[in-house]
Amino acid sequence: MGALFHIEGVPIGITSVALALIASMGGFIFGYDTGQISDILLMPDFLLRFADCSSGATLETASGACSFTDVRSGLIVALLSIGTLAGALMGAPVADFLGRRYAMVVECGVFIIGVIVQITTTHVWQQFAVGRLISGLGVGALSAAVPMYQAETAPAQIRGSLTATYQLFITFGILIAYCISIGTRSYNGPSSWQTVVGIGIAWPVILSVGILFMPESPRWLVFHNKSDKALRSIALVHGMTREEAQDHPLPSKYLAEIQNNVEFERQFAAESGWLDCFRPHNKVLYRTLLGMSLQSLQQLTGANYFFYYGATVFQSVGISDSFVTQIILGAVNFGCTFGGIFIMEKFGRRWPLILGGIWQSMWLFVFAAAGTAKVPQDNPGIGKLMIVAACLFILGYAMTWAPGIWILIGETFPTRTRAKQASLATASNWVWNFLLAFFTPFIINAIDFRYGFVFASCNLLGAFVVYFFLYESSDLSLEAVDMMYIDPACKPWTSGRWTPAGYSSRKDIEEQGKAAQAHKGFAPEENRVEHANGNEKTTTNEGKIPGVNGSPHLKA
């Protein structure tokens, strides 16, 4: 089979790249559904059919003669978020029962049903809104399942990059939705908006077919007593056959760590339930609340203020073609996310999020202050400054908070409760998504662009939470991350120096990986994988599994 390339001495197979691209179609579905509604709300035919119109309104005059009430536009936009909230909570038991891959297939089917409900109505706005609710069930479940699946399956050396592709595809979906909308807005009749919505069926079809060719999560397999299949799954992402993996130290070591961690959890805890996510033992409650807080704060950055209502916002600042402005914002969002993947892998999780929160806050203050100081419609320079501030805000968001939070949801929680904690964290994202989507029209009417000051303050709060509560999890296996959180000697602000037992620094993890590769399949003496009676176990010079047993190190 052969490795596609090596990172830190560890072979990475083409399956890892395919896994990132195919699973991230779940993010594309999310982004496409998010991006389309902003432009659809302004399409003349959609307004004529579903908004309140004055008598004699025609397709040509719909933009001026028709308008949505705040309640109606809020419900059309926000019912998706109610569906995603329920879907995120349902996603955990489905993913635990069916496995990560088959759960995604089911969730894609639910999304398609919702799309069909939307495009089969021509005059009942309630049916369109309910269709978005049903689609939301699929989107929400996928938003919990995909980052968790990618984090559990991807090699630790590229886990951040692969999980960040989920956010990259969200931004790609938003951009494609904008581009398709600008292409169909001139169509006569309902095809102007039905085409945009209907094309959404293609994306879950691609995901549901492609994911069946990917390996299942090795952690889910081990948890369900399928260690043989788990080894094959690990082998595939490292570009090896199962036979090659049995003789190579790295896949067997990874499997041994997973087995040891799962066995540890089985010995000291019963079958997990929702209440287990709120037990303070081993900082499980701490991590549940941290994940929920970070996902909530991601929404409170204010990004979806621009994505949901951007076309309307920029229309109000005097931009003649707000559709074009949406595409500019979408392109900035998509392009900068590539930088986000590099930043989150190169500089870890904590400092990009802290600096990103400060950067975003600064430009939101500029946006809000400019819009409040003078009327943008009467001052073209103010309108342009607000567009620039919005783009620079999106630049910072796309490089830090957008990919970073999804990465953390996949790698912060222990195996036994990971699915449920990821669902709770994602559900909190969707709660705030709904609140912002529904109440934003009312808030804008009340305080106009001063709304930006609220988001600016929330960004500063996010930077504060990250500094004092988030642990640095880059370059560690998921099992080692679990050990780091429960180490009483480790604090969030010192966590970047924490290392698993058997290593002197996180750089040492890289060096040992290179050493193992240099030995052409033979592990170094101090870190050998032994095969005894068909069971794998990893020993160090202390006879303990690095990152699972023994005392971790906090380098001064």
Side-chain angles (χ1 to χ4, degrees):
M1 186 178 297
L4 184 64
F5 53 87
H6 292 76
I7 294 182
E8 299 177 1
V10 176
I12 307 296
I14 192 171
T15 300
S16 292
V17 178
L19 179 152
L21 297 177
I22 292 173
S24 291
M25 283 303 299
F28 189 95
I29 295 168
F30 174 8
Y32 187 84
D33 216 50
T34 297
Q36 67 183 9
I37 195 61
S38 177
D39 290 339
I40 286 175
L41 287 175
L42 295 179
M43 290 184 176
D45 185 83
F46 193 82
L47 284 164
L48 200 62
R49 293 174 185 277
F50 301 117
D52 291 329
C53 300
S54 59
S55 60
T58 64
L59 197 63
E60 289 73 25
T61 63
S63 296
C66 302
S67 63
F68 287 102
T69 64
D70 290 339
V71 172
R72 188 176 300 186
S73 64
L75 284 174
I76 290 174
V77 174
L79 271 180
L80 174 81
S81 303
I82 292 294
T84 52
L85 168 61
L89 293 174
M90 288 169 22
V94 173
D96 279 342
F97 180 72
L98 296 178
R100 312 317 191 203
R101 295 182 308 145
Y102 290 118
M104 292 183 211
V105 174
V106 171
E107 291 150 10
C108 286
V110 173
F111 179 84
I112 290 172
I113 292 171
V115 171
I116 293 172
V117 171
Q118 291 175 68
I119 61 178
T120 51
T121 183
T122 53
H123 290 92
V124 182
W125 72 267
Q126 293 91 339
Q127 180 179 331
F128 187 87
V130 168
R132 282 179 58 79
L133 175 71
I134 296 170
S135 291
L137 292 172
V139 172
L142 286 170
S143 68
V146 172
M148 177 174 60
Y149 168 73
Q150 290 177 315
E152 289 184 344
T153 310
Q157 290 72 22
I158 57 171
R159 186 179 64 234
S161 296
L162 296 198
T163 308
T165 58
Y166 178 77
Q167 175 62 28
L168 176 67
F169 272 60
I170 291 176
T171 63
F172 190 35
I174 292 173
L175 178 60
I176 293 299
Y178 290 163
C179 292
I180 293 176
S181 296
I182 202 172
T184 65
R185 63 176 173 167
S186 60
Y187 290 2
N188 292 322
S191 60
S192 60
W193 52 271
Q194 284 178 333
T195 302
V196 181
V197 179
I199 287 175
I201 292 177
W203 322 131
V205 169
I206 294 171
L207 172 58
S208 57
V209 172
I211 201 65
L212 295 177
F213 293 93
M214 295 295 103
E216 182 55 89
S217 159
R219 288 165 175 85
W220 184 86
L221 290 169
V222 170
F223 202 78
H224 289 79
N225 301 311
K226 299 178 180 179
S227 294
D228 191 62
K229 292 183 178 180
L231 180 61
R232 181 177 181 274
S233 177
I234 295 171
L236 285 173
V237 298
H238 288 285
M240 305 177 191
T241 64
R242 184 182 178 282
E243 291 71 24
E244 290 172 336
Q246 288 179 322
D247 296 326
H248 195 286
L250 294 177
S252 299
K253 182 175 86 70
Y254 297 152
L255 177 61
E257 289 184 0
I258 296 170
Q259 288 174 321
N260 185 285
N261 184 265
V262 169
E263 187 59 34
F264 174 82
E265 292 182 347
R266 282 176 174 162
Q267 286 178 359
F268 294 96
E271 186 67 25
S272 65
W274 288 100
L275 287 178
D276 291 298
C277 298
F278 298 95
R279 300 189 188 281
H281 182 67
N282 286 341
K283 280 196 173 179
V284 175
L285 172 62
Y286 179 102
R287 285 182 271 179
T288 298
L289 295 178
L290 177 62
M292 294 174 69
S293 299
L294 291 174
Q295 282 282 29
S296 299
L297 287 164
Q298 189 197 52
Q299 282 297 312
L300 289 168
T301 56
N304 279 349
Y305 166 60
F306 296 107
F307 297 139
Y308 282 146
Y309 295 102
T312 305
V313 169
F314 293 121
Q315 202 173 53
S316 70
V317 301
I319 302 299
S320 58
D321 193 341
S322 55
F323 283 74
V324 174
T325 307
Q326 284 285 82
I327 289 180
I328 293 172
L329 279 183
V332 170
N333 191 29
F334 175 61
C336 291
T337 304
F338 284 99
I341 293 174
F342 170 78
I343 286 172
M344 299 307 295
E345 197 69 72
K346 178 72 174 178
F347 300 104
R349 318 296 188 239
R350 282 172 47 83
W351 280 108
L353 291 177
I354 293 169
L355 296 177
I358 295 171
W359 172 272
Q360 291 153 207
S361 176
M362 178 176 67
W363 289 110
L364 282 169
F365 274 120
V366 172
F367 177 89
T372 303
K374 292 185 178 181
V375 178
Q377 295 93 324
D378 301 333
N379 297 272
I382 290 293
K384 291 176 182 178
L385 174 61
M386 293 175 72
I387 298 297
V388 171
C391 287
L392 290 172
F393 161 79
I394 294 294
L395 179 148
Y397 175 77
M399 286 191 170
T400 56
W401 276 80
I405 302 306
W406 292 111
I407 292 171
L408 290 166
I409 293 309
E411 65 187 22
T412 301
F413 309 122
T415 300
R416 189 173 64 91
T417 53
R418 181 174 294 124
K420 293 180 176 64
Q421 287 175 291
S423 288
L424 288 168
T426 307
S428 68
N429 180 297
W430 291 113
V431 166
W432 282 100
N433 192 303
F434 166 76
L435 293 173
L436 292 172
F438 182 76
F439 288 108
T440 286
F442 300 95
I443 297 172
I444 290 176
N445 284 338
I447 62 174
D448 205 20
F449 295 112
R450 287 187 291 275
Y451 199 18
F453 291 128
V454 177
F455 292 127
S457 301
C458 290
N459 277 277
L460 290 179
L461 175 62
F464 175 89
V465 169
V466 169
Y467 182 82
F468 286 102
F469 298 101
L470 179 67
Y471 287 68
E472 181 56 70
S473 52
S474 61
D475 297 323
L476 297 175
S477 70
L478 297 184
E479 289 68 37
V481 171
D482 190 34
M483 292 299 297
M484 175 178 63
Y485 268 93
I486 63 177
D487 180 2
C490 184
K491 304 300 179 186
W493 47 90
T494 63
S495 59
R497 303 195 301 271
W498 186 93
T499 58
Y503 301 103
S504 60
S505 68
R506 295 192 186 185
K507 183 69 175 176
D508 191 38
I509 300 175
E510 175 183 346
E511 295 303 322
Q512 287 204 24
K514 291 179 179 178
Q517 186 65 25
H519 279 72
K520 300 183 185 299
F522 294 95
E525 188 67 29
E526 71 274 13
N527 187 26
R528 184 181 302 279
V529 177
E530 299 179 355
H531 299 263
N533 300 321
N535 296 319
E536 294 85 5
K537 64 178 182 177
T538 307
T539 60
T540 67
N541 54 357
E542 297 176 342
K544 296 171 181 175
I545 298 177
V548 180
N549 293 325
S551 300
H553 301 286
L554 188 61
K555 190 175 179 63

